[in-house]
Amino acid sequence: MKILVINSGSSSLKYQMFDYENKTVIAKGLCERIGIANSHFKHENASGYVIDEGRSFKSHSDAVRTMIEALLDPQSPVIESLEEIAAVGHRIVHGGPYFAKPTEMTQESKDAVRKCFPWSPLHNPANLTGVEVCEKLMPGIPQVGVFDTAFHQTMPPKAYMYGLPYRYYEEHNVRRYGFHGTSHAYVARRAAELTQCDKDQQRLITCHLGNGSSFAAIKGGQCIDTSMGLTPLEGIMMGTRSGSIDPAIVSFIAKLNDDATKDVDYILNHESGVRGVSGVSSDFRDLKAAAMQGNERAQLALSMFCYQAVKIIGSYIAALGGIDSIVFTAGIGENDDRIRKTICDDLSFLGLTLDEGLNASTHGEEVLISAADSSIEVFVIPTNEELSIAIQTVEVLGLA
Ligand code: ADP
């Protein structure tokens, strides 16, 4: 069975075709700079056939058409006909209060995706465009929306409500939604398969540490709290995002008006985080290199990041009433053994001990990095959001 996964952004469209039985990627590609000059197409399939060239994408329809042509390309076909595609799974960023699970796209569900536009004005419209274009160009193939927010819908009200006038919740749905849900769900499921403890009782914290970073507290497979909020700005400081700050700073900066070309939203999303503090980069590899050369602000940014991570993990251990397992995933979580060690060392008072050798040698593989006598299992589990979308698509349609 072949499942196509699509991540449609405002100016790009990424896709992966899965051979579902083997869970392998048989083709993948990227249409870049849609609607902008110098658009580019990259496609590769499992036989090593590659297309990598400039193409004109005036719209998302052009991009999807090009993807279909490449999949059917007689020189190295991935499929002989579109009918071979059992379903298409679409990443959709915000499901608001409407989607607690992946959902087949119908007129009603598309209307609900549209209602979420105000909370995700950059992503949701582009995600929905991807769905609508695929409906048109691949008629009869079921289209499923898989939502970044859905996994967190099991949070209780005490975790998702903000201390604001209740009318903002009632009239505008202002509440915590959380993001990276597809990734948290994927690594949590894997951790439940790998754990030594009873998976129905497992108290787990998943740490998705990438360009954007978030944490989830998970009990018996259900999310009970997460660090991102109404938007992906809340929580730990990130590459360029501030994370949680005193909310009064927003109006303070706005009143300063020291750079009229940028609003506070822009400053908090694009000029803050480890890049803002260090003045070096949002990329942890650059920060590490700068810190090694004695750059104090790079060192400060790294230690702030680890300190905030420990505080969030500590608060989630309290929320969960204890802890059995911690998972590190995404670019930093999978690759940066120093960050993992710093965070875990600060949790050693709980009896957490790392297998230092294993931690140091683990970069992007699935490994249990805690020592045999550790009170807490610590896993590195590479995330795979595309495969997770494919699995959820198959499950919701009952195709498996
Ligand atoms: P995104 O949120 O864009 O999906 P990723 O999960 O791919 O991000 O993470 C990207 C980040 O991971 C980079 O910005 C970089 O900081 C970090 N990263 C990737 N590889 C390494 C590495 N070997 N060591 C440290 N950090 C890394």
Side-chain angles (χ1 to χ4, degrees), residues 59-327:
S59 64
H60 284 74
S61 297
D62 285 347
V64 171
R65 245 182 239 114
T66 305
M67 171 192 75
I68 291 173
E69 272 167 31
L71 293 171
L72 295 167
D73 190 337
Q75 275 198 62
S76 185
V78 178
I79 46 174
E80 301 292 334
S81 114
L82 285 181
E83 280 161 25
E84 285 177 49
I85 303 175
V88 184
H90 294 265
R91 177 190 181 209
I92 301 184
V93 167
H94 218 304
Y98 311 113
F99 296 98
K101 54 181 173 45
T103 306
E104 185 166 0
M105 290 288 105
T106 59
Q107 196 51 52
E108 195 188 358
S109 51
K110 284 189 291 178
D111 289 344
V113 171
R114 214 167 269 117
K115 282 194 200 152
C116 303
F117 281 7
W119 307 304
S120 179
L122 293 180
H123 294 101
N124 268 44
N127 302 154
L128 187 60
T129 301
V131 173
E132 290 179 330
V133 169
C134 287
E135 275 176 346
K136 247 187 225 132
L137 298 177
M138 299 183 223
I141 301 176
Q143 311 286 327
V144 171
V146 180
F147 299 85
D148 283 16
T149 50
F151 178 64
H152 305 300
Q153 282 291 306
T154 47
M155 283 186 289
K158 67 181 177 188
Y160 70 65
M161 289 298 292
Y162 290 115
L164 290 169
Y166 200 72
R167 67 174 187 279
Y168 291 112
Y169 170 65
E170 277 188 315
E171 294 168 23
H172 302 283
N173 287 299
V174 173
R175 49 158 286 184
R176 177 186 309 287
Y177 291 102
F179 296 86
H180 295 137
T182 307
S183 172
H184 288 293
Y186 179 80
V187 298
R189 187 193 282 225
R190 218 34 224 130
E193 285 161 7
L194 298 169
T195 190
Q196 295 297 318
C197 71
D198 175 1
K199 68 176 167 39
D200 295 330
Q201 302 296 324
Q202 188 186 25
R203 296 159 302 179
L204 167 70
I205 296 173
T206 48
C207 313
H208 177 109
L209 309 180
N211 230 335
S213 296
S214 68
F215 298 77
I218 298 163
K219 207 175 211 166
Q222 302 247 302
C223 177
I224 64 155
D225 208 344
T226 192
S227 58
M228 284 180 167
L230 174 73
T231 75
L233 189 54
E234 197 182 345
I236 192 168
M237 68 195 289
M238 306 173 213
T240 61
R241 285 174 248 171
S242 66
S244 298
I245 56 169
D246 177 348
I249 293 171
V250 176
S251 58
F252 183 84
I253 294 179
K255 277 185 211 136
L256 282 178
N257 198 22
D258 58 341
D259 184 348
T261 61
K262 291 169 192 154
D263 61 17
V264 186
D265 245 17
Y266 183 86
I267 294 166
L268 297 182
N269 276 292
H270 299 285
E271 295 192 335
S272 301
V274 292
R275 177 164 144 218
V277 171
S278 68
V280 173
S281 170
S282 61
D283 192 301
F284 276 56
R285 288 162 288 201
D286 301 338
L287 286 179
K288 267 197 304 193
M292 298 248 277
Q293 284 168 8
N295 185 315
E296 287 180 10
R297 275 170 49 191
Q299 185 54 55
L300 172 65
L302 289 170
S303 47
M304 285 171 70
F305 182 85
C306 293
Y307 179 64
Q308 292 185 12
V310 169
K311 285 205 297 185
I312 294 171
I313 293 170
S315 69
Y316 284 180
I317 293 173
L320 288 163
I323 177 81
D324 300 302
S325 325
I326 295 175
V327 173

